[in-house]
Amino acid sequence: MVVSGMPPYDDENIFAKILRGEIPCSKIYEDEFALAFHDIRPQAPVHALVIPKGKYVSFADFGSSAPAEFVHGFNRAIAFVAQKLGLEETGYRLIANMGWNSHQEVPHYHVHILGGRKLGAMLTPSQD
Ligand code: AMP
């Protein structure tokens, strides 16, 4: 689906290549809805990415076009991965960047799971 502010899905994006097994990843978990792996440039002691097994550019695309059962399964996978990483007791942060202002780099919907230390304020002051 085309979402305003985002190009159409690009089959050559890096996460599409990971899903097809063309590029390796440090896998944490996989099921029919999701693949989870460690971020290559971690921003916290624990930094995982969870990506849906489907051609969704962004949160907006996923939320508006994925079947309800898929959305449910994907969200359950995120919670399961956080638990598997041992973050449930101490807490964690989920981030889904969407579009230009959010600094979304990879145009395949993904959710960051960050934890392993106190993460501080949600946003740093603007550098603009
Ligand atoms: P975003 O800015 O929300 O699009 O986040 C994209 C994330 O993907 C960044 O945190 C990158 O470090 C991460 N990333 C890019 N390439 C890879 C890769 N090959 N394996 C794991 N993480 C990656």
Side-chain angles (χ1 to χ4, degrees), residues 3-57:
V3 174
S4 59
M6 293 290 287
Y9 189 82
D10 172 11
D11 278 312
E12 295 307 310
N13 81 75
I14 191 120
F15 292 171
K17 292 179 178 178
I18 287 175
L19 274 178
R20 291 196 297 267
E22 295 167 10
I23 289 179
C25 70
S26 177
K27 186 159 85 173
I28 301 165
Y29 174 74
E30 182 171 15
D31 64 19
E32 65 189 292
F33 306 107
L35 173 67
F37 50 91
H38 292 284
D39 196 292
I40 205 165
R41 293 191 302 269
Q43 305 290 315
V46 181
H47 186 174
L49 298 169
V50 190
I51 69 175
K53 288 187 172 177
K55 298 183 179 187
Y56 302 105
V57 175

Side-chain angles (χ1 to χ4, degrees), residues 28 38 45-48 78-92 113-117:
I28 301 165
H38 292 284
V46 181
H47 186 174
I78 296 168
F80 181 79
V81 170
Q83 186 184 45
K84 185 174 180 185
L85 291 168
L87 299 176
E88 198 163 281
E89 194 171 322
T90 49
Y92 54 90
I113 303 175
L114 296 145
R117 66 166 167 81

Side-chain angles (χ1 to χ4, degrees), residues 3 6 56-63 97-99 104 107-109:
V3 174
M6 293 290 287
Y56 302 105
V57 175
S58 65
F59 171 76
D61 186 14
F62 185 71
N97 291 318
M98 153 61 205
Q104 180 179 356
H108 180 116
Y109 175 46

